[in-house]
Amino acid sequence: VDDTGLTGLVGVPLADDRGIVVLDRLLPRLSQHEPVIAAVGHVFPLTALAMGKVALADLEQDDALAVAAQLGHDRESSPLLRTQLSEIRRLGYAVSLGEYAGHVNAVAAPLRDRYGEITAVLCLMGPASHLPPETVTEVAGRLLAMIAALGSQPGGLEPMA
């Protein structure tokens, strides 16, 4: 978090696909901008922000679209959502550009257990001026490397892409 200047969030999926609850947040110690604040305990819907979309993409495609429909996504947005979910599955991470708030961008990736189940979702988020679209791929690579390092620790989880 400190080397990126971004806010770090740790969230876990709620039962029955109700969303992602923020369990912890890490604010950068030194930053040239005001950190983005997301409260511990805040619940993001699965259709919003990168954190939620990572968990939504973990569902089978038809199940994911059904959950999205329950959360208010209409049929007209289904093709776009279907494309987004496929891209998240392919890349192993999700991006949101201005979905949380118009000036906030985020990158998130799943932390999985040895059985492939999501145990947590890690997210880096910040002002669009500090996390512009052209830096998202680099930040995502750093996030995925961090998750891989966690899996290599003794007793650590075994992340799967």
Side-chain angles (χ1 to χ4, degrees):
V1 169
D2 284 333
D3 65 333
T4 65
L6 300 170
T7 299
L9 300 178
V10 178
V12 294
L14 294 171
D16 300 326
D17 304 318
R18 292 180 295 137
I20 298 281
V21 63
V22 176
L23 289 185
D24 201 1
R25 73 169 182 227
L26 302 164
L27 300 175
R29 282 183 274 174
L30 299 173
S31 181
Q32 298 174 359
H33 59 84
E34 188 71 24
V36 174
I37 304 296
V40 171
H42 182 81
V43 177
F44 289 105
L46 294 184
T47 55
L49 196 62
M51 290 182 80
K53 288 186 178 179
V54 163
L56 189 63
D58 198 52
L59 300 174
E60 294 293 328
Q61 188 82 320
D62 289 342
D63 293 339
L65 294 174
V67 167
Q70 291 173 347
L71 295 172
H73 265 261
D74 58 16
R75 288 181 186 255
E76 292 176 14
S77 64
S78 289
L80 175 61
L81 183 60
R82 186 183 309 265
T83 300
Q84 288 176 338
L85 296 177
S86 294
E87 186 74 356
I88 293 165
R89 291 181 190 111
R90 185 180 72 75
L91 296 173
Y93 64 89
V95 173
S96 61
L97 303 174
E99 293 175 31
Y100 175 64
H103 67 286
V104 176
N105 293 342
V107 177
L111 185 63
R112 298 178 183 275
D113 64 18
R114 69 184 74 230
Y115 306 106
E117 300 295 320
I118 292 178
T119 57
V121 176
L122 305 184
C123 178
L124 293 172
M125 63 190 298
S129 61
H130 194 69
L131 181 58
E134 60 270 14
T135 65
V136 164
T137 301
E138 176 196 344
V139 171
R142 293 171 77 181
L143 182 62
L144 292 172
M146 182 183 68
I147 289 172
L150 286 172
S152 68
Q153 299 298 315
L157 301 172
E158 299 172 13
M160 300 171 64

